[in-house]
Structures are given as C-alpha cells and as structure tokens.
Amino acid sequence: IGFQPLLHLDRQFLPDDTYYTLSISRNIAAGLGPTTDGVIPTSGFQPLIALLQVPAFWFSNDPWWPVVWTIAISGLFGIINVGLLGRVLVQSGARPVTVLLAAIFAATAPAVLGNSLNGLETSLAATIGMMAALVAGGLARDTRPGRLILLGALCGLALLARIDTAFLVLLIGLLALS
C-alpha cells in the first residue's frame, strides 16, 4: 500500500496533524526548535515521532521526501506491531492458526492500516507500548537489573511517543511493584 502514488496516500491516510508535526520537525531540523511557524514555541506534539522525522529534512531538499519518510516510518512500526501481536499470542499459549489469523487481520484491517500509515505517532506508540508490556510480563521470571533498565527505558520512550501511554506505564509500574 505504501508504494501507491503519494497524493493518493495523502488523501487516504494523512490527517492535518501529520503536517503539523512535520512542520515542527522541519523547524527542529533547521535549528529553530519546536515551533510550527519558526517563531512561537509549541509543546502540543508528540516528541518522539517528531524527532524521527527530523532526519528527513537533512537528507533531501525534495518537499515531499519528509512525507514519504513519515509514511515509511509509520508503516515500519505497523509491520513490527503485527509481529509483536503474534509474539504476545504465542506467549499466551494461542494455537498457531489463531496467531496466523490474528496477524492476517492486523495486517489487513482498514482501521489498523489507517493507523499504520497516518504518519503520526500511533503505530510507534503501539510498538513501544507492546514491547514494554512484553518485558513487564516477563518480570515474574526475571528481575535482573538489565531487564528493569530496559523496562524503564521503554516506559520513558512510550511517554515520549504518546503521552496517554502514561496509563500503561502506571499499570506496568504497579505490576513491577507487586
């Protein structure tokens, strides 16, 4: 899907917020800091996806390249999410056919595809959140410092990816304390 003409992808998947974040990323890349207009600072964005978009402005002068980069990043995290879903299901004891059907559904459902190609933080936050949940789920078997440091780093990245992951981080923290 990601290899369709860019204008089609734009009409189909990219909301205005994608371009809002891209304008912030463009200004960060230019050394102006987090601002949409190059003058007034803003805090109304998810910082991790903006930071992942910044290199697109360094590597090309093509005005559409950052949009392509952003769709590719979102799509990549969407693909990772399908694999993580499969891993969660395998760890929960699901039968192989269930894992396969769930992965096919996750890879082809229109709502999931829309989130995976919208150029926003959605698929990135889901990836980091699922990774944190998987690591937290293994705390009953392994509480070595390295695992706890990894879990802390993932929780921090989850908050940078999307602030409403704070609820997941809170649940993980309560699990870690129990």
Side-chain angles (χ1 to χ4, degrees):
I1 290 175
F3 293 106
Q4 294 181 24
L6 189 56
L7 291 177
H8 172 74
L9 293 173
D10 176 55
R11 282 191 307 272
Q12 199 72 14
F13 298 107
L14 302 181
D16 293 345
D17 285 356
T18 302
Y19 292 100
Y20 177 82
T21 304
L22 280 166
S23 69
I24 293 167
S25 300
R26 179 187 64 234
N27 287 319
I28 291 171
L32 301 174
T35 172
T36 54
D37 62 2
V39 178
I40 300 170
T42 185
S43 61
F45 68 103
Q46 309 299 335
L48 192 55
I49 191 67
L51 291 176
L52 290 175
Q53 292 171 343
V54 166
F57 293 97
W58 293 335
F59 298 129
S60 176
N61 291 326
D62 178 352
W64 285 103
W65 173 244
V67 177
V68 171
W69 176 280
T70 296
I71 292 170
I73 289 171
S74 290
L76 174 65
F77 285 111
I79 291 167
I80 293 169
N81 286 333
V82 172
L84 288 171
L85 171 66
R87 178 155 178 145
V88 167
L89 292 172
V90 166
Q91 283 187 345
S92 70
R95 295 182 317 168
V97 68
T98 304
V99 175
L100 178 63
L101 290 174
I104 290 171
F105 177 78
T108 60
V112 177
L113 283 173
N115 277 331
S116 293
L117 295 173
N118 66 8
L120 294 171
E121 73 287 342
T122 337
S123 59
L124 171 62
T127 297
I128 296 170
M130 279 197 283
M131 291 171 76
L134 281 167
V135 171
L139 286 178
R141 299 181 312 275
D142 181 5
T143 57
R144 288 179 291 175
R147 182 179 207 86
L148 296 172
I149 290 169
L150 174 61
L151 182 58
L154 288 169
C155 287
L157 288 171
L159 292 171
L160 290 173
R162 190 173 168 113
I163 194 63
D164 57 3
T165 59
F167 298 108
L168 174 65
V169 170
L170 176 65
L171 290 173
I172 289 171
L174 291 172
L175 173 69
L177 292 173
S178 63

